[in-house]
Amino acid sequence: MSDIAISVKDVKIRYRYLQKMSLKSLLRFKKPKKVKYFEAVKGVSFEVEKGSILGIVGKNGSGKSTLLRAIAGIFCADEGVIDLHGNNVSLLSIGVGFNSALSGRENIYLSGMLLGFDKKQIDEKLEEIIEFSELGEFIDRPVRSYSSGMHSKLAFSITAVLETEIMLIDEVLSVGDAKFKKKSYEKMKNLISDKNRTVIIVSHNADTLRKLCDHILWIHEGNMKMLGTTEEVLPLYEQFMS
C-alpha cells in the first residue's frame, strides 16, 4: 500500500456574512441579527498518495482555493480533519504570505521561516532565489511596489527553491511574462518529477492539468462531484463547462 501524504475527511468550511450596522445601532447596544453563514466547502473527503500530482477543477466560487488554504493551514476547517502526516507544506498563491511593507529580500526570510526553514538554510538558498526571480534591484524594494507579475515571480521562486514535501499551487503558472512562464513551467515539471514530493494544483488551464496531473478532483458548489484519473474526469468536466 502506498504512503498517504494528505488526508482530507468530511471537511466543511463556512464564511460568516458581514452585516452592516450603523453607528447609532452600536451606541444603543442594539442586539445584532442572527448570524448567517455561507458554506464554501461541504463535507469533502479524499486522500493523496505520496508523490502524486492532484489537480482540482471547478467553476469560480466552487471552493477550490478555500480548500487549498485550509490544507495549507492558513485557516482551520469548521468541521472534519486535514492530516498532512508530518509533511511540511508550501502554498503558491498570488496575494498570500507576503508582508507588503517589507522588501522582497526580507519576505524571502519571512516566507522561508514560515515554511519551517532556519536562517542558515535560507542564507544558503538566498542568491538562487533572487537570481531565479529576475527581480534585480527590486528585491530590496517594498513588495507593495511590485506588479502582480513581480509578486508571482518572487512567490514562485521561494517555493521552487525552498523545496517542501507538499506543494500547493493556486493558479499561478499562468502569471508573468512569456519567458518566465516557460521557465517556471519547466522548473515545476522538474520539481514534481521527484516521487517524494506531493503536489496539488488548482487551475482552469486544462492543458496544464492534462500534462502534469495523474488525478483530478472536481468540486462543484462546495461538493465533491468526481475524483478519478485525469483521463476519466477532465473530459467530463470540460463537457460540463462547455
Side-chain angles (χ1 to χ4, degrees):
M1 182 177 177
S2 300
D3 291 336
I4 300 300
I6 304 170
S7 299
V8 176
K9 185 175 181 180
D10 298 326
V11 165
K12 296 182 180 180
I13 303 170
R14 304 182 188 93
Y15 290 118
R16 180 176 176 176
Y17 283 116
L18 295 177
Q19 297 179 334
K20 292 182 179 180
M21 287 191 69
S22 67
L23 179 59
K24 186 177 181 180
S25 297
L26 290 171
L27 292 174
R28 288 181 175 178
F29 300 102
K30 185 178 180 180
K31 187 177 180 180
K33 297 178 181 178
K34 186 177 180 180
V35 176
K36 295 182 179 180
Y37 293 91
F38 168 71
E39 196 165 55
V41 178
K42 305 172 182 178
V44 170
S45 299
F46 63 94
E47 290 184 327
V48 185
E49 294 180 356
K50 183 177 181 180
S52 292
I53 306 163
L54 175 70
I56 301 182
V57 297
K59 67 179 184 179
N60 290 334
S62 60
K64 305 183 302 296
S65 295
T66 296
L67 179 60
L68 213 63
R69 282 160 172 73
I71 296 172
I74 292 177
F75 49 72
C76 296
D78 294 284
E79 293 183 32
V81 177
I82 297 172
D83 188 355
L84 303 183
H85 300 278
N87 296 297
N88 60 350
V89 60
S90 60
L91 171 64
L92 183 53
S93 178
I94 298 303
V96 175
F98 286 160
N99 184 323
S100 62
L102 300 180
S103 69
R105 187 186 302 271
E106 290 167 327
N107 271 290
I108 291 174
Y109 282 98
L110 176 61
S111 297
M113 289 176 180
L114 289 174
L115 292 175
F117 296 91
D118 59 35
K119 185 177 183 300
K120 182 180 178 181
Q121 290 172 312
I122 301 169
D123 285 339
E124 292 171 353
K125 297 286 187 176
L126 181 63
E127 292 307 317
E128 185 180 352
I129 294 170
I130 294 172
E131 182 179 356
F132 193 95
S133 72
E134 302 177 352
L135 290 177
E137 64 181 22
F138 282 94
I139 198 65
D140 291 308
R141 296 184 184 179
V143 166
R144 63 170 173 261
S145 67
Y146 287 12
S147 66
S148 61
M150 293 166 68
H151 194 291
S152 173
K153 286 181 174 183
L154 181 59
F156 185 90
S157 301
I158 293 170
T159 303
V161 176
L162 293 177
E163 302 173 10
T164 56
E165 293 153 327
I166 297 174
M167 294 180 66
L168 310 176
I169 304 165
D170 190 1
E171 201 66 79
V172 295
L173 295 180
S174 60
V175 180
D177 54 71
K179 178 184 173 184
F180 194 82
K181 283 180 189 177
K182 182 178 179 181
K183 184 170 78 167
S184 61
Y185 181 78
E186 292 302 319
K187 180 68 173 178
M188 185 56 57
K189 284 203 300 183
N190 290 335
L191 286 171
I192 65 180
S193 66
D194 183 348
K195 291 303 179 183
N196 291 315
R197 182 168 294 108
T198 306
V199 182
I200 298 181
I201 301 173
V202 167
S203 179
H204 291 288
N205 190 319
D207 289 336
T208 296
L209 296 173
R210 193 171 282 110
K211 291 175 183 176
L212 296 179
C213 301
D214 38 54
H215 288 81
I216 299 290
L217 169 64
W218 177 4
I219 297 179
H220 182 68
E221 296 182 351
N223 293 297
M224 188 171 75
K225 190 173 181 69
M226 189 175 182
L227 173 63
T229 66
T230 303
E231 293 77 13
E232 292 170 336
V233 180
L234 205 52
L236 295 175
Y237 170 71
E238 290 178 302
Q239 183 180 9
F240 176 83
M241 291 301 291
S242 65

